[in-house]
Amino acid sequence: MKDRVSILDGNTFLVSDDRGNIQPSYDFPTGLFCFDTRFLSTWILTLDGEPVHALSIDDSLSYKTRFFLVPGEPTHYLDAKVSVIRSRAIGGSLDEELTLLNHSDQETEFRLRLEIGSDFADLLEIKNQREKKGRSTPTVETNALRLTYRRQAFHRETLVTSSAPAEVDESGMTFRVRVGPHGEWTTRLHIDTVIYGARGEDIRAILPLGGQRTAADIEAEQSELISRAPKLGCDCEPLAGAYRRSLNDLAALRYESITLGVRLLAAGLPWFMTLFGRDSIFTSLQVLPFLPELVKPTIVMLAGLQGSRVDDFRDEEPGKILHELRYGESAGFEEQPHSPYYGAADTTPLFVILLDEYERWTGDADLVRKLEHETRAALTWLDTYGDLLGTGYVWYMSRNPETGLPNQCWKDSPDAISYADGRLPEFPRATCELQGYAYDAKLRGARMARTHWNDPAYADRLEHEAAALKERFNRDFWIPDREYYALALDPLGRQVDALTSNIGHLLWSGIVDESRAPAVAAHLLGPRLFSGWGVRTLADDQGRYNPVGYHVGTVWPFDNSIIAWGLWRYGFRQEAGRICDALLSASHYFDGRLPEVFAGYERALTDYPVEYPTACSPQAWSAGTPLLLLRVILGLEPQGDHLIIDPSVPPGMGRVELLDIPGRWGRVDALGRSRGPHEEQPAPPALTLPAG
């Protein structure tokens, strides 16, 4: 049985233990959260003074859960004369129904107690165990408990109400009930989370959904979204299961932005239930062929919050795309720079890449024209603020040494960027994938300039700059005697020579010389990087390798999906298929839901992928991974007004069909077939589906 159970509706979510209880915690964000504030930190059920234990949990749906509970120790389960069914559903607020069942043949009196409390912790404060600077006040009302937190204008409130009479005190509710033989008793608890604005009303009230939704609303919305996705038919159950689970999780992770009132994808439960530039862009790239309507709001939001000034505290610069947006107390009082924070060097080129890719799939040229200024500003950032040393590369170093991120690439943990021997380089750093993204962004910017902005001179300039960058990169980053690209350059231009998964992103970007691509592919699928479950973030013979280190030896599903896409781009269909097969096989052990990250142990050693203890799940770019893997398997690429199909279906996977693909060419059907394990005929040629 799971140690933790979560339900979510956008960025409103609850994490409890396997009994449905919430214990005060600063090690892991258990509790009821909304917009980065914990509204419940204590929610503990006892029966006649005894704890309850779970017989079973029904958590098949993302937004509701049922716990079947009995009192006493687990060894007494068979003799229980009473049980409790705890049913809860989330939708902006939380509803919990407690049903007590008397299994004896006599009327019995019971005392049901709920301990209730809130520390109103900011999500960013959870690990830091900071003392709150505001004041919490409990207020006892008739069958209700109101918990209030104030710090100047920051005002949050939790209101718990019961449908049944309750003895309410400042720390909870007690129910004294008599239940007849084989009878039952029920109460319904409603927990409102209130985020007060300057006018003394819940700021979510102005949003179209008003912040309040029922389970039926959530189910209807998720079903409607999923119904618009292409229909998958295949013989591979791990692929089918992962596809279904991904669509469900992506639907559940959508939340309504306070800033612009649009629906966005939260990055991941529990730590990242908000807009993240990098995560949102990569997830959008993954889902584009399947749910393109999810992508436009993200592009518009990122463009609307693009950096416009130099702000050292927030690492903001003109043209730069944000890293993270938070709504909690620490951001509001500028104790953290996340309002928003711009500490990422990759989000800006990735924004340009996403806008171009979006237009290629959807034909939405109007958006490209509307965002011409923002796109040009992003491309200008690459050659100005992004090039800290004036060498023609994108570098990073935080303007804010107190609270800014040291590493501003996707591997952003402190020890993620190292030499092969484990030493850490000085700042600024120019990681290899940043140069690949910049190269791709310039080429895509050139296409948009020539096709949509009527500026061929600018297009020519960008193409010339991209070609020069590619030549320079292949000279400075290539390590000839090891036949792979360095992870980064240090401030003196020396190669940071660790062997990492980043080289797969280079294939995706197209910056790799064709003559060197086979060596890169061989490293990615070689024993040092490939665990059998996927490509490790760091090769197993490097100084900082750790199979359970966050960015130094683990396997990241999102990372592998980009690597598979890159291998496909360079024609390594079999190698791309191996990664697809490995990740889909791993998803089977996670009930179809790939986590943020899992351990990098050899497949032969474990027989199953080993969980990473604090991995986010669901996480948006992990939920998007099966979709991108499916795209790679079928070889789906937009080309003008056609859809190209060039299959990479792994041997033995069998039939893979994707029906009703949305795009600029109308809605089309795609079919890819793999050779069976004993068939010797050549693989099918690439197919082209015409418009309409």
Side-chain angles (χ1 to χ4, degrees):
M1 197 175 297
K2 299 179 180 179
D3 293 332
R4 299 188 183 101
V5 180
S6 61
I7 55 175
L8 75 153
D9 171 36
N11 68 354
T12 300
F13 67 96
L14 183 147
V15 181
S16 71
D17 65 19
D18 60 4
R19 299 167 294 178
N21 286 338
I22 300 168
Q23 302 274 2
S25 170
Y26 277 94
D27 298 321
F28 190 87
T30 54
L32 172 63
F33 290 84
C34 187
F35 283 95
D36 294 326
T37 296
R38 177 156 62 186
F39 285 86
L40 279 179
S41 55
T42 301
W43 189 254
I44 302 172
L45 180 68
T46 58
L47 181 59
D48 293 331
E50 291 188 84
V52 290
H53 297 274
L55 293 173
S56 179
I57 303 170
D58 177 5
D59 63 343
S60 57
L61 296 174
S62 61
Y63 53 88
K64 60 183 180 181
T65 308
R66 285 193 300 172
F67 301 84
F68 297 86
L69 308 165
V70 293
E73 296 302 318
T75 53
H76 297 164
Y77 283 174
L78 296 178
D79 300 322
K81 303 301 183 185
V82 60
S83 64
V84 178
I85 301 175
R86 192 175 199 175
S87 304
R88 61 175 54 143
I90 201 165
S93 57
L94 177 69
D95 289 286
E96 179 158 307
E97 182 176 89
L98 299 176
T99 301
L100 189 150
L101 299 97
N102 180 7
H103 303 303
S104 73
D105 58 2
Q106 297 183 17
E107 183 178 72
T108 308
E109 182 174 316
F110 299 97
R111 182 169 62 88
L112 204 64
R113 171 72 177 174
L114 262 176
E115 295 290 335
I116 303 169
S118 177
D119 59 3
F120 293 97
D122 187 312
L123 191 62
L124 295 176
E125 296 173 340
I126 297 294
K127 288 184 178 180
N128 300 326
Q129 301 187 38
R130 293 178 180 168
E131 183 178 348
K132 300 297 290 182
K133 297 179 181 179
R135 180 184 177 187
S136 295
T137 306
T139 303
V140 174
E141 302 177 5
T142 303
N143 300 326
L145 178 61
R146 187 183 300 272
L147 306 171
T148 303
Y149 179 79
R150 288 180 181 271
R151 178 183 174 191
Q152 300 177 28
F154 189 87
H155 184 188
R156 300 291 185 264
E157 195 167 85
T158 305
L159 177 61
V160 182
T161 57
S162 169
S163 66
E167 299 173 10
V168 184
D169 57 58
E170 293 185 351
S171 59
M173 295 181 175
T174 301
F175 303 92
R176 300 182 189 276
V177 298
R178 296 189 68 84
V179 184
H182 301 290
E184 63 180 57
W185 168 91
T186 297
T187 186
R188 287 173 294 279
L189 299 155
H190 182 75
I191 301 92
D192 263 328
T193 60
V194 187
I195 303 173
Y196 285 103
R199 298 179 180 177
E201 63 180 9
D202 193 325
I203 59 178
R204 295 167 297 176
I206 64 173
L207 301 178
L209 296 177
Q212 303 296 321
R213 306 201 297 162
T214 66
D217 294 333
I218 299 171
E219 183 176 10
E221 182 192 87
Q222 293 186 7
S223 297
E224 195 273 334
L225 179 70
I226 293 169
S227 70
R228 298 201 301 271
K231 308 303 180 288
L232 174 65
C234 66
D235 299 327
C236 176
E237 177 50 36
L239 173 58
Y243 184 69
R244 289 192 301 269
R245 190 63 181 261
S246 290
L247 293 177
N248 285 323
D249 285 343
L250 290 166
L253 284 166
R254 296 176 75 206
Y255 77 99
E256 200 168 12
S257 164
I258 290 177
T259 308
L260 292 182
V262 296
R263 300 285 280 171
L264 301 169
L265 281 170
L269 187 151
W271 295 110
F272 308 122
M273 297 301 288
T274 187
L275 175 69
F276 270 70
R278 177 188 304 118
D279 299 52
S280 298
I281 292 171
F282 273 119
T283 305
S284 295
L285 289 166
Q286 292 170 323
V287 307
L288 246 176
F290 305 88
L291 293 167
E293 61 267 41
L294 296 185
V295 177
K296 186 174 181 177
T298 296
I299 296 174
V300 172
M301 184 75 166
L302 293 175
L305 295 173
Q306 186 176 36
S308 60
R309 60 181 179 172
V310 174
D311 183 339
D312 291 347
F313 178 64
R314 292 178 176 82
D315 270 325
E316 180 181 358
E317 294 161 346
K320 200 174 185 182
I321 298 298
L322 68 82
H323 169 59
E324 180 179 358
L325 176 64
R326 292 286 183 174
Y327 302 93
E329 181 180 349
S330 62
F333 284 91
E334 296 193 347
E335 295 162 350
Q336 298 284 345
H338 298 80
S339 56
Y341 178 55
Y342 292 83
D346 51 3
T347 52
T348 306
L350 288 171
F351 169 79
V352 179
I353 293 168
L354 174 60
L355 179 61
D356 176 71
E357 188 77 1
Y358 170 77
E359 191 279 330
R360 291 175 70 227
W361 275 100
T362 66
D364 187 356
D366 286 343
L367 186 63
V368 173
R369 286 189 285 267
K370 288 177 182 176
L371 297 182
E372 178 181 352
H373 171 76
E374 291 82 358
T375 309
R376 286 177 180 263
L379 290 164
T380 299
W381 180 88
L382 295 175
D383 300 321
T384 54
Y385 295 98
D387 187 2
L388 290 174
L389 299 184
T391 59
Y393 293 125
V394 177
W395 302 80
Y396 64 79
M397 181 172 67
S398 177
R399 292 176 170 272
N400 176 3
E402 295 298 322
T403 56
L405 279 173
N407 276 323
Q408 300 194 352
C409 52
W410 89 258
K411 294 178 179 176
D412 58 4
S413 53
D415 62 345
I417 308 302
S418 68
Y419 297 96
D421 61 10
R423 291 176 296 118
L424 298 179
E426 298 296 322
F427 292 97
R429 298 170 179 173
T431 57
C432 63
E433 80 283 358
L434 294 178
Q435 321 317 317
Y437 302 159
Y439 168 78
D440 195 14
K442 287 177 180 289
L443 290 181
R444 290 173 182 265
R447 189 190 80 87
M448 290 186 283
R450 182 170 286 115
T451 305
H452 302 296
W453 302 338
N454 193 30
D455 194 344
Y458 184 47
D460 290 344
R461 192 190 101 195
L462 289 172
E463 288 172 344
H464 175 76
E465 291 172 356
L469 173 58
K470 183 173 184 177
E471 180 180 2
R472 184 167 60 247
F473 174 83
N474 278 276
R475 178 194 69 214
D476 296 342
F477 277 78
W478 183 251
I479 307 176
D481 58 332
R482 305 183 202 178
E483 293 195 305
Y484 63 79
Y485 292 94
L487 170 59
L489 297 182
D490 69 14
L492 298 179
R494 296 173 300 198
Q495 293 175 338
V496 181
D497 58 346
L499 174 59
T500 68
S501 64
N502 300 52
I503 59 177
H505 290 236
L506 299 177
L507 292 174
W508 171 60
S509 72
I511 201 171
V512 174
D513 275 347
E514 292 285 345
S515 63
R516 292 171 174 170
V520 173
H523 280 297
L524 289 167
L525 276 300
R528 292 192 289 168
L529 278 174
F530 190 65
S531 74
W533 296 115
V535 179
R536 301 182 182 96
T537 44
L538 182 67
D540 66 0
D541 60 348
Q542 305 296 285
R544 286 190 176 267
Y545 171 72
N546 180 350
V548 290
Y550 197 51
H551 290 125
V552 290
T554 49
V555 174
W556 285 65
F558 120 82
D559 187 29
N560 276 259
S561 73
I562 298 299
I563 293 169
W565 195 1
L567 288 165
W568 182 92
R569 175 174 182 170
Y570 274 78
F572 297 103
R573 304 291 191 261
Q574 182 178 357
E575 290 82 354
R578 281 185 64 193
I579 291 178
C580 293
D581 183 62
L583 266 291
L584 293 170
S585 297
S587 74
H588 172 73
Y589 294 91
F590 297 107
D591 296 325
R593 175 187 283 170
L594 285 167
E596 172 191 21
V597 55
F598 55 87
Y601 295 112
E602 278 292 326
R603 186 167 183 168
L605 177 65
T606 64
D607 293 329
Y608 54 86
V610 175
E611 294 187 43
Y612 187 85
T614 59
C616 289
S617 183
Q619 187 172 38
W621 63 9
S622 292
T625 289
L627 277 61
L628 182 51
L629 296 180
L630 179 56
R631 175 177 173 177
V632 170
I633 286 170
L634 288 175
L636 300 179
E637 282 293 315
Q639 182 171 312
D641 291 327
H642 293 79
L643 180 65
I644 305 301
I645 303 177
D646 192 357
S648 302
V649 183
M653 187 166 284
R655 175 185 61 97
V656 180
E657 300 174 354
L658 198 63
L659 308 177
D660 203 22
I661 305 170
R664 64 194 305 168
W665 42 78
R667 301 183 75 91
V668 299
D669 296 346
L671 171 64
R673 298 186 188 278
S674 68
R675 290 177 293 163
H678 305 297
E679 296 179 10
E680 297 182 358
Q681 69 266 30
L687 305 175
T688 300
L689 298 183

